[in-house]
Amino acid sequence: MIKKYLGRLTISLVFSSVIFTTCKASPEQGKALYIQHGCWGCHGYEGQGGIAGPKLSPDPKPIDFYHGFVRYSSGAMPPYSEKILPKKDLIVIYEFLQSIPKGPDYKTIQILNN
Ligand code: HEC
């Protein structure tokens, strides 16, 4: 009897972990949220900065910094409360910023080395 339930439990645990892994947000979802929440307007579509805010990518600062700064910014950036920007959305935005690759080293670009 117990064995039967344990078997079912194992099967459902395996399935839920498979589902959980496949449901991980993609960088595209992060970009959509980044655009939806207006980050792009100041930090640029790729987080490159230079509009009204500094660059965020490549190599974003640690996620803990984001959880603090984005909530309590008191400078030129408006603070985003948990109500406006849920924690899970901020994490997905962060994953998008992390996924942006570094540009090539200028030394590998011929025209910049003449
Ligand atoms: C109205 C313009 C504006 C919008 C919209 C905006 N920011 Fe900013 N952001 C700024 C400015 C300006 C700064 C620098 C100001 C400061 O340091 O107080 C900044 C700084 C930051 C920093 C700190 C960067 C560093 O290296 O110190 C982070 C992280 C950040 N923004 C993330 C975001 C995210 C994520 C969003 C969207 C949810 C967002 N910002 C939306 C203007 C904006």
Side-chain angles (χ1 to χ4, degrees):
M1 183 73 168
I2 290 184
K3 251 188 180 173
K4 197 168 110 189
Y5 282 113
L6 277 181
R8 284 191 189 155
L9 183 67
T10 314
I11 290 171
S12 58
L13 281 178
V14 169
F15 271 111
S16 40
S17 61
V18 167
I19 290 167
F20 183 76
T21 322
T22 37
C23 283
K24 196 174 184 305
S26 65
E28 289 76 32
Q29 284 170 296
K31 183 163 190 174
L33 288 168
Y34 179 83
I35 290 169
Q36 184 192 321
H37 287 289
C39 317
W40 69 274
C42 297
H43 295 284
Y45 275 108
E46 301 293 326
Q48 78 274 20
I51 301 173
K55 96 175 182 52
L56 302 177
S57 66
D59 275 344
K61 287 184 176 170
I63 183 81
D64 288 343
F65 173 78
Y66 274 67
H67 287 307
F69 187 91
V70 169
R71 303 285 179 220
Y72 305 110
S73 164
S74 58
M77 176 171 149
Y80 284 71
S81 68
E82 170 83 34
K83 222 175 175 181
I84 294 169
L85 176 63
K87 188 174 181 181
K88 63 175 176 43
D89 287 5
L90 181 56
I91 292 171
V92 180
I93 287 175
Y94 185 77
E95 286 168 355
F96 156 63
L97 292 170
Q98 261 187 327
S99 76
I100 296 171
K102 276 199 178 100
D105 186 334
Y106 78 91
K107 290 180 197 129
T108 66
I109 302 172
Q110 178 80 51
I111 198 163
L112 299 178
N113 290 286
N114 289 333

